[in-house]
Amino acid sequence: MNKCKMLFIFTLFLAIATISAQDNWEVLFDGKDLKNFEQLNGSAKYEIKNNELIGTSKLGTPNSFMATTEKYGDFILEFEVFLENGLNSGVQFRSISTPSIMNGRVHGYQCEIETSSRKWSGGIYDEARNGWLYPLTRNTKGQNAFVPGEWNHYRIEAIGSKIRTWVNTIQCANLLDATTAEGFIAFQVHSIHNENLEGKTVRWRNINIQTVDLEKSMKTVNVDVPEISYLDNQLTDNEVRTGWRFLWDGKSTAGWRGAKMDDFPDNGWEIKDGMLTVLSSEGTESANGGDIVTTDLFADFELSVDFKITEGANSGIKYFVDSELNKGEGSAIGLEFQVLDDQKHPDAKMGKNGNRTVGSLYDLIRAENTNNSRGKNFKGVGKWNNARIVVKDGHVEHWLNQVKVVEFDRFSQMFKALVEKSKYEKWENFGRLSQGLILLQDHGDEVSFKNIKVREF
């Protein structure tokens, strides 16, 4: 067979494949009317011009949503969007609005559309529920996918628990979450509080959806885009492949012991429904069950722990712990990711310049979000938050809900100077052990932990 004929057959094959793929697409918005949509919550103006859906920002109204009357579970959605500078917007999916929940407030997954300097367009926000699930803090290429002042092409794949996004063909989010399996799709006009933004618009066009044969149409995942999983007590295939393992199995005391004993405490800790909870003893440090530590030692590692605090609670996640230090009263000694109710616990105002607030390297370095002015991304008391600690070659990072809040070198002169001015000055070689235990603290307040997993470098 000559090369020309081979090229013709290959081109014909591609054309047939393209037509076949196009046959699975349905028009979600036809550019003519909104008969299959309803407006929810706010009263921002929506209109149709030049086959575009146009939303106009309005002062004095909450977030507005133009929502499909049909619900969608698994799908692939594509659209183009043009957002005027200064506005924030998004596209809801698998979302819900019922009178019995928050008086009908729209809640559920949202794919972000924004022009702010933090550059999280394409990230996944959980509207009115769990906050940011996938900010683009760990995906610098994705941060630059959205182009302000131009039409941008979006693709959202929601198939089972896999939720992935692309902006202008660049992958932004790689999320696994099973909170909601089905809901409507909605186009948001965000509330505004600045009169200079009133009358600005967000425009959508070429809105199409696939709901069948999705596995064949899924895009290849970029291995450089971090996977973030919120699946309870299960590792993803990618986590297993990249060396993650559970540090706590979700049901037993295996792998853990009391920090000052050989076995797991008989009381003070509760294991129930995949959660490990330190029980309240009226705020007295290590006076009930006491701290618990891993039976394994760790040097270079990445640790992920979900935690939920009660009102006014104090606890911590410690690492490079030597349980032979401090055999007396109080907690075992080690570097600490602070777990705290900053609003209600007095420790938040102690120490120096906030270095005892949630996410901080306790008593040494204050947790702060240096990327933008929107705070530390703490989701609140009574909600699950994620602590991520990364240690490699002396470099240490604290991440709170996927936002980096602390960074330091534990072998640097700067770190040594901080220790010398802290409560840890008396402990020789504090924070510089070659390896140590990981600890969950009993500070006398009820705090729950789950999805405790680690990988070693």
Side-chain angles (χ1 to χ4, degrees), residues 51-86:
N51 296 316
E52 298 171 8
L53 173 61
I54 303 174
T56 303
S57 57
K58 179 183 176 181
L59 277 172
T61 187
N63 293 348
S64 304
F65 302 91
M66 186 57 67
T68 61
T69 54
E70 183 175 345
K71 294 180 180 179
Y72 295 89
D74 291 356
F75 65 86
I76 298 173
L77 177 70
E78 291 193 355
F79 59 88
E80 294 175 276
V81 62
F82 189 105
L83 182 68
E84 287 199 70
N85 189 48

Side-chain angles (χ1 to χ4, degrees), residues 200-226:
K200 288 196 172 187
T201 63
V202 53
R203 297 148 57 193
W204 293 274
R205 68 184 186 189
N206 298 328
I207 306 170
N208 300 301
I209 193 167
Q210 280 192 51
T211 58
V212 296
D213 294 330
L214 298 178
E215 298 288 339
K216 298 177 182 177
S217 299
M218 292 175 67
K219 289 177 69 72
T220 301
V221 173
N222 184 339
V223 294
D224 294 326
V225 177

Side-chain angles (χ1 to χ4, degrees), residues 4 60 65 74 95 104 143 162 169-170 200 207 225 243 254 275 361:
C4 290
F65 302 91
D74 291 356
S95 291
Q143 289 176 8
K162 299 174 182 177
T169 72
I170 296 172
K200 288 196 172 187
I207 306 170
V225 177
M275 297 183 295
L361 177 64

Side-chain angles (χ1 to χ4, degrees), residues 339-350:
V339 174
L340 192 78
D341 179 356
D342 289 352
Q343 301 302 314
K344 296 292 182 68
H345 197 285
D347 217 20
K349 295 181 175 61
M350 300 175 72

